[in-house]
Amino acid sequence: MGAMSSPPFGGSNEMPAVFPDWSPYQDLDSAARAYLRDPEVALDALFGVLRGASVLCFTLERFVNEVNGVWQEVVICDGSRLVLWHGEDVAPGDGPVGSMTSSLRVVPLSTVTEVGCRRRLTRTSNGQARVDSIDVYLLLSSVDDAVPPPGMDEGESRQAIRHDALRFGKTLDDGGPGQIARLEEFSRVVASLVGRPTL
């Protein structure tokens, strides 16, 4: 048994393959505390920006990456903005053991130009349609700042400019029916606000 100390951010080195389900919780605080490994870090960052604004809808994501460890995300819509937090364990060698990054991004809803939601339906034995996965994207008016590949001339790189997009997905295996329904609800609320005057 190695002398690995457990990370200071509340996690253990034994990560369960399936995380607790956050979908039954209607309020952000309870959902984050049930699901995230580092809810205090996330909520502190988010509430620092929200400053009392109401949370109309939210979605959460968490997975384990073989290289970096745990990756966590919270996305909130308050009626005029999307507030995104994500926390990620630092790769071995990039910092002290147990280090993580905490990032916050605020996107005005006025910059969302398109909302897309694709559901995959399967039929049960009695012929009833059931959603078994959902993919949601929010296309933004900002441009993806990825650097064009070397050797691309100016005309080609101008054509390669892509708009920034936020993407979210849930499946029966990753999240289950409750989280699929909550992500669909998130996409519908955001879609209902896009293109309207902000609240």
Side-chain angles (χ1 to χ4, degrees):
M1 186 83 180
M4 275 285 279
S5 62
S6 69
F9 293 101
S12 76
N13 293 326
E14 308 270 318
M15 288 294 166
V18 178
F19 302 112
D21 186 9
W22 60 267
S23 67
Y25 302 95
Q26 293 305 308
D27 67 294
L28 175 64
D29 191 86
S30 302
R33 289 182 192 286
Y35 185 69
L36 298 180
R37 188 194 65 193
D38 304 294
E40 289 81 12
V41 177
L43 294 168
D44 185 52
L46 291 163
F47 289 135
V49 170
L50 283 169
R51 305 261 173 196
S54 342
V55 175
L56 298 185
C57 59
F58 61 89
T59 186
L60 306 178
E61 185 57 81
R62 174 177 167 181
F63 59 85
V64 175
N65 170 327
E66 285 112 45
V67 181
N68 293 9
V70 177
W71 189 96
Q72 308 164 86
E73 181 179 58
V74 181
V75 185
I76 295 167
C77 177
D78 71 357
S80 61
R81 307 170 293 180
L82 294 168
V83 184
L84 300 91
W85 174 83
H86 107 262
E88 188 172 1
D89 288 346
V90 172
D94 284 356
V97 172
S99 299
M100 68 176 281
T101 59
S102 170
S103 308
L104 199 65
R105 180 179 181 189
V106 178
V107 177
L109 270 184
S110 58
T111 66
V112 177
T113 59
E114 192 176 306
V115 178
C117 176
R118 189 180 73 180
R119 302 181 310 158
R120 189 173 74 188
L121 304 168
T122 53
R123 297 247 176 239
T124 59
S125 54
N126 65 0
Q128 206 169 8
R130 180 181 80 164
V131 181
D132 73 0
S133 74
I134 183 168
D135 288 300
V136 171
Y137 73 87
L138 310 179
L139 193 63
L140 306 178
S141 57
S142 53
V143 171
D144 186 347
D145 58 6
V147 178
M152 202 178 247
D153 71 38
E154 200 179 314
E156 286 177 316
S157 71
R158 200 173 295 122
Q159 287 174 341
I161 288 174
R162 294 177 44 208
H163 282 277
D164 208 353
L166 305 173
R167 298 184 182 279
F168 314 99
K170 292 287 182 185
T171 66
L172 287 179
D173 293 335
D174 171 27
Q179 291 181 39
I180 289 173
R182 290 294 296 275
L183 179 54
E184 184 169 10
E185 176 195 346
F186 174 84
S187 75
R188 286 176 173 170
V189 171
V190 173
S192 74
L193 295 167
V194 166
R196 295 183 170 191
T198 54
L199 299 178

